[in-house]
Amino acid sequence: MASSDFDGILLGMGNPLLDVSAVVDQEFLNKYDIQLNNAILAEDKHLPMYDEMSQKFTVEYIAGGATQNSIKVAQWMLQIPGATSYMGSIGKDKYGEAMKKDATAAGVNVHYCEDESTPTGTCGVCVLGGERSLIANLSAANCYKVEHLKKPENWALVEKAKFYYIAGFFLTVSPESIQLVREHAAANNKVFTMNLSAPFICEFFKDVQEKCLPYMDYIFGNETEARTFSRVHGWETDDVEQIAIKMSQLPKATGTYKRTTVITQGADPVVVAEDGKVKKYPVIPLPKEKLVDTNGAGDAFVGGFLSQLVHGKGIEECVRAGCYASNVVIQRSGCTYPEKPDFN
C-alpha cells in the first residue's frame, strides 16, 4: 500500500483527559478508597484528591485518555503522518491547548469539540509498586455531542477511515455518536473495534454496551474486565479462555468479519479467541526493576495491535506489535514512548 492509502485509515473517538500522575502511598489509596488495577469515575469524595496529589507527591502531567493513548501509539508505530484521526471534547483552557499540541506533535489529526464553559478533563493516576489506579474527572470530555460528529468536516473523518476504535469509556458520554459510527462501519464493510475498558462499564453500562456488541469485530479487554463481563452476563465462569470464546461467539450484526476477542493478562499470556478456538501468546518478559508503571499498558497494546491490523497483517503479528508497544510504555511514566519505534 502507498502511504496515501493510509491517510486517515484509523479513527478513534473517546474522552481526552490530562493524566495527573504520581507515585502515592497506601495511606493515600485508603483515604480515597482507591483499588489498584482499577478505573473509576470520580465522585465528590475524590475531588480534593487532585490538589492533595500535587501537594504531597511529585506529579507529572501527561496527555492521556484511553482511546487517545491507543491512537497515538498506533500513529507512532505506523510512522505515516496523518494515518490516524481522533475526536473527543476538551475545554478552552491551557490543558486543552497542551493536549492539542501533544496530539498534533504525535502526528494524529485531532478534531476536538471545544467546550466554552467546562474545563478539560483530568485523570488521577495513582501508582504504587508499578500498578496503577485511574480516577477520571471527565469535565469537558463528558460534553461531547453528536452534533459535532455530524459536521461535514468531522463526518469526513468517519467516511475516510476503514478501521474504528472506541474505548468503552465513551459509552458513558455519547452512545449516539458510537451508534452512527458502528452503523456506518457495518454498512460499508469496515472494521469496528471496542474495549471493555473497566469493570464499571461492563456492570453499570451493560445496556449501552450490549447494543454495540453485535457490531464489534474485535473486542479488547483485560482479565479483570473479562471476568466482570462474564459475571454480569450470568456465565458462571472465571476462566478467561472460556469467557473469550463465549464473547467471540455472541451474535454479530453483519457476517463480513468473524469476531475476535483479545484479552490481556498483565505479565501472563494474551488470550485470543476466534472461530471457537483459543490461542495464547506470551508477552515480552520484563524484570520487575524495569517496570515504571502500568498506566497506558493496555492502551498501548491496542495501539500496537491496530497498527498492524490496518496493514492487513495476521493476528500473530498484531499481537506481537501490541506486546512490543506495551513493553515500551510500561518502562516509562504514563503512555509515552521514544521518538521512533524499534519494531520490525
Side-chain angles (χ1 to χ4, degrees):
M1 281 165 80
S3 65
S4 61
D5 295 337
F6 285 95
D7 192 39
I9 194 166
L10 172 62
L11 170 65
M13 293 189 79
N15 303 336
L17 303 172
L18 189 76
D19 283 353
V20 181
S21 179
V23 175
V24 301
D25 52 30
Q26 189 60 48
E27 190 188 349
F28 184 84
L29 297 180
N30 295 348
K31 178 178 177 179
Y32 288 104
D33 192 21
I34 296 166
Q35 266 89 43
L36 288 172
N37 196 23
N38 199 11
I40 59 171
L41 294 177
E43 297 167 39
D44 289 345
K45 68 177 179 186
H46 296 112
L47 297 179
M49 181 189 110
Y50 302 92
D51 280 341
E52 189 178 329
M53 276 174 82
S54 57
Q55 284 155 19
K56 273 195 179 165
F57 309 106
T58 310
V59 167
E60 285 185 272
Y61 296 92
I62 309 159
T67 307
Q68 186 165 246
N69 284 342
S70 297
I71 294 296
K72 275 166 53 183
V73 168
Q75 179 61 50
W76 171 67
M77 291 283 287
L78 283 163
Q79 293 288 311
I80 302 166
T84 62
S85 321
Y86 175 80
M87 284 186 261
S89 180
I90 58 173
K92 263 193 161 2
D93 52 22
K94 65 173 201 288
Y95 284 168
E97 279 308 308
M99 192 104 70
K100 202 185 299 182
K101 210 170 138 184
D102 174 87
T104 306
V108 179
N109 178 17
V110 289
H111 284 213
Y112 292 125
C113 172
E114 294 187 36
D115 195 278
E116 301 279 345
S117 53
T118 321
T120 295
T122 49
C123 183
V125 181
C126 300
V127 178
L128 186 60
E131 293 290 322
R132 61 89 179 126
S133 191
L134 309 175
I135 301 90
N137 183 10
L138 296 182
S139 297
N142 204 28
C143 300
Y144 190 85
K145 299 285 181 283
V146 72
E147 290 71 38
H148 178 263
L149 176 63
K150 288 176 173 171
K151 286 183 181 166
E153 67 273 24
N154 299 326
W155 188 253
L157 299 181
V158 179
E159 297 263 333
K160 201 191 313 191
K162 297 185 176 67
F163 296 82
Y164 306 91
Y165 174 64
I166 302 176
F169 294 121
F170 201 52
L171 288 166
T172 76
V173 173
S174 187
E176 311 79 26
S177 299
I178 301 177
Q179 183 178 350
L180 287 182
V181 172
R182 71 184 188 227
E183 287 176 354
H184 169 86
N188 294 277
N189 295 335
K190 295 174 175 185
V191 178
F192 182 77
T193 71
M194 284 192 78
N195 203 311
L196 298 177
S197 290
F200 86 87
I201 297 285
C202 302
E203 202 149 4
F204 303 114
F205 292 87
K206 178 177 179 242
D207 295 351
V208 278
Q209 189 184 57
E210 289 208 316
K211 290 195 175 83
C212 293
L213 281 165
Y215 293 87
M216 295 183 204
D217 299 308
Y218 289 82
I219 306 181
F220 298 97
N222 68 24
E223 74 280 40
T224 318
E225 295 150 8
R227 290 186 174 122
T228 304
F229 186 94
S230 171
R231 177 170 55 77
V232 168
H233 287 80
W235 288 351
E236 294 183 353
T237 177
D238 258 354
D239 182 321
V240 172
E241 295 180 35
Q242 288 307 311
I243 297 167
I245 287 179
K246 283 172 108 75
M247 286 171 71
S248 71
Q249 291 172 332
L250 289 168
K252 282 206 86 226
T254 74
T256 313
Y257 308 103
K258 56 191 182 204
R259 182 183 299 111
T260 305
T261 311
V262 185
I263 306 294
T264 58
Q265 310 186 88
D268 292 328
V270 179
V271 171
V272 177
E274 51 184 358
D275 285 338
K277 294 190 285 292
V278 158
K279 271 195 160 167
K280 293 198 293 191
Y281 299 91
V283 302
I284 305 163
L286 185 74
K288 187 81 175 140
E289 64 274 12
K290 282 196 161 176
L291 174 70
V292 175
D293 69 57
T294 55
N295 180 25
D299 301 336
F301 175 87
V302 173
F305 187 102
L306 293 172
S307 75
Q308 302 309 298
L309 191 67
V310 304
H311 268 294
K313 297 282 170 65
I315 199 88
E316 196 166 335
E317 273 303 279
C318 293
V319 172
R320 190 169 76 88
C323 290
Y324 165 77
S326 58
N327 180 264
V328 167
V329 162
I330 61 177
Q331 297 183 62
R332 304 165 68 94
S333 188
C335 194
T336 61
Y337 39 78
E339 194 187 337
K340 291 269 197 296
D342 177 23
F343 178 78
N344 45 23

